[in-house]
Amino acid sequence: MKKFQTWLAALLVVQIALAGGLFWNSQNRHSGNQPQQLLSFQSKEIDKAVISGEDKNVTLKKASGEWQLADNSLPADSQKIIEQLSKLEKLKTGWPVATTKSSHERFEVAKDKFQRHIELFKGDQKVAELYLGSSPGFKQINIRRPDDDKVYSAALTSYEFPVDDEGWLDRSLLAASDVSGIKGSDYALTKKDKQWQLTEKDGQSTEPADSQKANDLATALSNLKVLSILQNKDEAPDQPTAELTVSSGDTQWVYRFSQRNDNYYVSRNDRDAVFKISKPIYDSIVDVKEPQLAGQESHNDEAETDDNSQS
């Protein structure tokens, strides 16, 4: 009987040990599968980012608290940059999809084969680096740190990190804020007490402008967005189709609009670049003339309608 009891006690010890081992292994696996922070940096401290593709790269830098394109010092889309840096800062991973160096090329996260290579700097110090590779599924991408052979899957896409200036350009960089005056080839508009005044051809007397037309023109200038930077400025005509002087308080800008075939361009005196714009934006600004701002078009239309009804 004692032998039987001893055997049962030994069996119980073995069962307890086995159960403890299984529990520890389960807890260890569960802990290892918990999302872990991939990169260690604070996005607000980043002041330079270099994003490379297969044969292109773009450098973004922060100057006086504002993000710029390093190649030409044009304003970059700060909100977009902040959002993408925040995504990278919060990036977490679970189990790796691969752990060997030989897998890097297959997942396109190798040093010499990748979709994107992102380098983040604080001053002269590189504080984070990441390779973005192939996509295993919708809005998923393979990623790897250069100092780690493990490959993970993350909720990112490579197109969120363009490798050219246009992808990060602030497309509203020529927008005129708080427009208070607009001078075209045959008109001069001035806003006083929230009312638009149109200067007569003698340059002295003024009359109320068509408020809707004047506001539409001011809004078009305030909402002006460019499509891209013209890499070869010689593609644009030498002589502008229209030139506007736009005022905002004591600040003045000179806009030059031009057209060649089906392409439309704009430049501004404070930017050393020419930009492409859409035809609707071009038309909404260039087609406005003095008769429209004086309300003569609508009056002529009404008169013509009255004449037709009488006849």
Side-chain angles (χ1 to χ4, degrees):
M1 186 67 178
K2 279 187 175 181
K3 288 184 179 180
F4 182 69
Q5 290 177 337
T6 302
W7 181 82
L8 286 176
L11 180 61
L12 180 61
V13 170
V14 171
Q15 288 177 328
I16 292 173
L18 181 61
L22 291 172
F23 177 78
W24 178 86
N25 186 57
S26 174
Q27 289 296 102
N28 189 53
R29 286 173 61 86
H30 180 71
S31 176
N33 196 33
Q34 289 297 307
Q36 301 293 318
Q37 202 78 28
L38 183 68
L39 302 172
S40 179
F41 74 94
Q42 292 187 337
S43 57
K44 63 182 179 181
E45 295 181 346
I46 301 300
D47 53 23
K48 187 173 83 167
V50 180
I51 305 167
S52 306
E54 186 177 353
D55 55 1
K56 288 183 178 181
N57 67 80
V58 61
T59 299
L60 309 169
K61 66 178 182 179
K62 190 184 284 187
S64 301
E66 298 294 330
W67 283 99
Q68 299 179 343
L69 304 173
D71 287 345
N72 47 38
S73 297
L74 290 173
D77 188 337
S78 293
Q79 185 59 39
K80 179 177 180 177
I81 295 172
I82 291 169
E83 289 174 359
Q84 298 311 100
L85 287 176
S86 179
K87 283 185 181 181
L88 294 176
E89 180 185 9
K90 296 175 182 177
L91 204 56
K92 292 186 177 181
T93 60
W95 283 105
V97 297
T99 59
T100 60
K101 189 174 182 179
S102 59
S103 67
H104 295 173
E105 190 167 329
R106 174 161 56 95
F107 289 106
E108 298 185 43
V109 289
K111 184 178 180 180
D112 54 357
K113 184 178 182 181
F114 53 82
Q115 293 290 327
R116 296 289 187 270
H117 180 203
I118 301 173
E119 300 168 276
L120 305 179
F121 296 82
K122 177 185 177 183
D124 294 329
Q125 180 185 4
K126 186 188 296 185
V127 297
E129 189 173 2
L130 191 66
Y131 288 109
L132 308 186
S134 56
S135 173
F138 181 64
K139 290 189 176 180
Q140 291 288 316
I141 201 167
N142 295 311
I143 59 176
R144 182 181 72 86
R145 291 198 318 255
D147 60 348
D148 191 354
D149 285 338
K150 296 184 185 70
V151 180
Y152 299 94
S153 178
L156 291 174
T157 58
S158 58
Y159 67 77
E160 293 178 274
F161 298 89
V163 292
D164 53 16
D165 286 347
E166 277 76 14
W168 298 99
L169 179 68
D170 179 359
R171 299 186 185 281
S172 62
L173 79 169
L174 296 187
S177 58
D178 301 322
V179 176
S180 58
I182 309 169
K183 185 177 182 180
S185 59
D186 64 346
Y187 66 84
L189 285 170
T190 306
K191 196 173 189 180
K192 293 182 178 180
D193 299 324
K194 299 183 179 181
Q195 299 295 321
W196 286 102
Q197 299 291 321
L198 183 65
T199 302
E200 297 285 355
K201 290 183 176 63
D202 59 16
Q204 300 296 323
S205 57
T206 61
E207 65 176 21
D210 184 309
S211 59
Q212 185 63 54
K213 293 292 186 182
N215 281 326
D216 287 348
L217 178 58
T219 299
L221 289 162
S222 297
N223 294 337
L224 195 158
K225 292 186 183 297
V226 304
L227 297 175
S228 62
I229 307 167
L230 187 62
Q231 300 301 330
N232 181 7
K233 291 191 288 186
D234 292 337
E235 290 181 22
D238 294 332
Q239 296 299 319
T241 309
E243 184 172 296
L244 272 66
T245 301
V246 180
S247 303
S248 175
D250 295 332
T251 303
Q252 279 195 340
W253 304 284
V254 177
Y255 289 82
R256 295 179 178 88
F257 296 87
S258 58
Q259 173 189 358
R260 175 169 287 167
N261 299 324
D262 293 329
N263 295 310
Y264 303 86
Y265 310 99
V266 63
S267 63
R268 203 170 76 179
N269 62 313
D270 61 332
R271 305 286 188 198
D272 187 24
V274 178
F275 304 89
K276 285 187 176 182
I277 56 175
S278 68
K279 185 179 187 300
I281 288 178
Y282 176 90
D283 289 343
S284 67
I285 297 172
V286 172
D287 286 353
V288 178
K289 303 298 181 185
E290 191 272 340
Q292 295 166 273
L293 295 169
Q296 293 178 12
E297 276 196 348
S298 58
H299 295 325
N300 290 339
D301 290 342
E302 291 175 5
E304 185 175 331
T305 301
D306 291 340
D307 290 342
N308 290 336
S309 62
Q310 291 174 7
S311 61

